[in-house]
Amino acid sequence: ISGWRTVSKLPARSSDKSTSDGNDEGKTKSKCIIGLFRPGSHNIVAVPKCIAHHPSINNAITILQNECDRMGILPYDETEGKGDLRYVCINVERCTGKVQLTLVWNSSPEENMSGKKSLLEKFTKHLISKSNSIKMHSLWVHFNGQWKHASNIFDYGSSSDGGLLWKHIHGPKYIMESLNLGETYAMKDEKVSLHFPPNVFRQANLDAFTNIIIAIRKYLIEYNASRDQDDLLPTCLELYGGVGTIGLNMIDLVSTFTSSDENPYNKQCFEKSVNLLSSAKNREKCKYIPKNATGVIRDEHVLSNSNCEIVIVDPPRKGLDDYVVQSFIDSAGTDTGTGPQLLVYVSCGFDAFVRDCDKLLKSNRWRLAQGEGHLLFPGSDAIETLAFFHRV
């Protein structure tokens, strides 16, 4: 199994602080190494031919390292907080094999307007001239001028205007992805085109994640067949929804669909995908709320109406917010027949899932109907959990 990873965020560090990965390919004389940190350290390891990476990522890394050295671009020095390039983030558009390249630049947007501007402009123009060899889809810059002890790859808002932190330099703004749902569970006469700029979450292994979406479609088809409401489809609410990767691929199985997420860049991606749906009926079903899950439940009162028979959640590794879990329990304690009846839980953090699952089951208001594991990261012990809970 190789080439499955189509998303990668890689540090750029100096070769004099690097280590070999155990073979000749890991050794380099390059001043700039774009690679991976050795586990438990910040010693960088060159990975020019990583078998997990899509070949386009390996190609882009090799070229970018050489061009950094050629153009005098200094890799980031964590000790001094100096240097130009902190990280390189690469997304691959699967249908073309082209890369959406983001340079994480060690500067604030304000600083870039002065001294470092000429260097960055010169470098980006040079990379654009190499776009064919890089297989470039597009080029972005993200400004991260945070102090040296900040560990996050992206700056999520230290600038007075967070929008200035991202700069689209060249090429299409979005990578476009459509999922192959197979013949059995595919939508009829409809296609979802997902939109991914670099500042939204995208699964690193979309091929494997598609299997989870197919499993959810299969379950919802059977769930709909078991309902006693004739041709009336259930309503659906999605929390932690990102750009709508899961929920939009259920659009033909629900009567209304509301997605939500706190990342402010998601809403436009979602709306662009909706606008490309061929069915006007499906387009009219869709709504997006740009809030975190707690805010959606608390402020919009979404669990107390009839627009959430099915709730889909795909939280980060830390799992569901405490308020969200308790709201599911409380809403299931009413006798009105409204509120969630089916909870679809996609989890990337098993310990957090076990915690949330225990709370739901101990309430005696939810039962676990089905659970399964999916391998999204071949060669690792990380398992994505898919579970279906029914209201008691």
Side-chain angles (χ1 to χ4, degrees):
I1 300 176
S2 63
W4 53 266
R5 177 176 277 278
T6 55
V7 175
S8 194
K9 299 178 177 68
L10 302 169
R13 300 295 184 267
S14 174
S15 60
D16 61 8
K17 296 183 180 180
S18 68
T19 61
S20 169
D21 64 357
N23 57 50
D24 291 340
E25 293 176 350
K27 299 176 182 178
T28 178
K29 296 181 180 179
S30 173
K31 295 179 183 178
C32 176
I33 290 187
I34 300 168
L36 296 171
F37 290 133
R38 187 176 292 279
S41 78
H42 272 212
N43 296 324
I44 198 165
V45 179
V47 288
K49 296 183 180 180
C50 176
I51 62 172
H53 281 155
H54 189 284
S56 295
I57 294 179
N58 291 333
N59 174 70
I61 291 171
T62 300
I63 295 174
L64 193 57
Q65 284 184 157
N66 293 335
E67 299 310 319
C68 282
D69 293 341
R70 179 179 299 179
M71 299 293 293
I73 303 301
L74 298 178
Y76 185 62
D77 185 327
E78 297 178 0
T79 303
E80 301 294 331
K82 297 179 180 179
D84 304 312
L85 186 62
R86 283 181 179 244
Y87 284 85
V88 175
C89 302
I90 304 174
N91 294 335
V92 180
E93 187 173 60
R94 295 177 303 160
C95 64
T96 64
K98 293 184 177 182
V99 297
Q100 179 189 70
L101 181 63
T102 301
L103 308 176
V104 181
W105 202 248
N106 184 35
S107 167
S108 69
E110 293 80 10
E111 289 174 328
N112 181 61
M113 293 176 183
S114 55
K116 290 190 175 183
K117 182 177 181 180
S118 59
L119 177 62
L120 179 58
E121 284 188 348
K122 184 178 179 181
F123 186 47
T124 54
K125 287 179 180 177
H126 179 71
L127 292 180
I128 292 169
S129 74
K130 300 283 184 180
S131 59
N132 287 339
S133 58
I134 295 173
K135 298 181 180 178
M136 185 186 292
H137 169 277
S138 53
L139 178 62
W140 289 69
V141 172
H142 174 73
F143 296 102
N144 185 350
Q146 297 179 97
W147 76 315
K148 62 185 179 181
H149 296 300
S151 60
N152 47 302
I153 296 174
F154 296 137
D155 182 349
Y156 289 101
S158 63
S159 171
S160 58
D161 182 355
L164 295 176
L165 295 171
W166 293 92
K167 187 175 182 180
H168 177 219
I169 303 293
H170 172 76
K173 188 174 181 179
Y174 305 95
I175 275 180
M176 305 284 285
E177 292 287 356
S178 295
L179 308 184
N180 181 4
L181 303 177
E183 295 183 4
T184 304
Y185 300 107
M187 284 185 263
K188 295 181 179 179
D189 303 320
E190 189 62 275
K191 177 183 177 181
V192 175
S193 297
L194 299 168
H195 290 63
F196 293 101
N199 46 20
V200 302
F201 176 76
R202 176 191 169 195
Q203 289 287 344
N205 189 349
L206 268 177
D207 290 336
F209 193 74
T210 300
N211 293 327
I212 292 179
I213 292 180
I214 291 172
I216 297 173
R217 284 189 59 81
K218 178 177 182 293
Y219 196 94
L220 293 192
I221 289 170
E222 295 172 353
Y223 173 82
N224 288 353
S226 69
R227 296 168 77 248
D228 56 0
Q229 299 188 34
D230 299 324
D231 295 331
L232 182 63
L233 294 173
T235 55
C236 182
L237 168 69
E238 183 177 40
L239 303 173
Y240 313 93
V243 301
T245 301
I246 299 175
L248 284 175
N249 280 288
M250 309 295 150
I251 194 64
D252 59 322
L253 303 177
V254 300
S255 60
T256 64
F257 171 54
T258 301
S259 187
S260 62
D261 198 287
E262 63 184 338
N263 185 335
Y265 300 106
N266 284 325
K267 185 173 185 286
Q268 187 178 54
C269 301
F270 177 89
E271 291 173 344
K272 285 185 174 294
S273 296
V274 169
N275 289 338
L276 290 181
L277 294 174
S278 60
S279 166
K281 182 178 180 181
N282 285 337
R283 294 195 297 271
E284 292 167 359
K285 296 178 183 180
C286 300
K287 176 183 176 182
Y288 201 92
I289 302 175
K291 290 185 178 181
N292 62 39
T294 293
V296 171
I297 294 173
R298 182 191 59 218
D299 303 338
E300 308 295 329
H301 309 291
V302 290
L303 299 186
S304 60
N305 59 39
S306 59
N307 291 326
C308 61
E309 179 178 341
I310 298 170
V311 177
I312 301 171
V313 296
D314 184 11
R317 194 171 300 277
K318 66 180 181 179
L320 300 175
D321 301 327
D322 290 339
Y323 185 91
V324 173
V325 178
Q326 191 58 50
S327 296
F328 288 151
I329 294 171
D330 293 343
S331 66
T334 63
D335 296 324
T336 62
T338 61
Q341 306 296 315
L342 171 64
L343 174 62
V344 181
Y345 193 141
V346 180
S347 169
C348 61
F350 187 71
D351 291 343
F353 170 77
V354 171
R355 178 201 67 211
D356 296 339
C357 180
D358 284 346
K359 290 180 181 179
L360 292 170
L361 298 183
K362 287 178 180 178
S363 73
N364 294 318
R365 294 175 179 176
W366 292 92
R367 65 178 179 87
L368 178 60
Q370 180 176 314
E372 55 193 57
H374 290 260
L375 180 63
L376 267 59
F377 302 96
S380 76
D381 60 357
I383 300 295
E384 198 98 351
T385 305
L386 171 62
F388 300 89
F389 295 88
H390 285 251
R391 181 170 169 175
V392 175

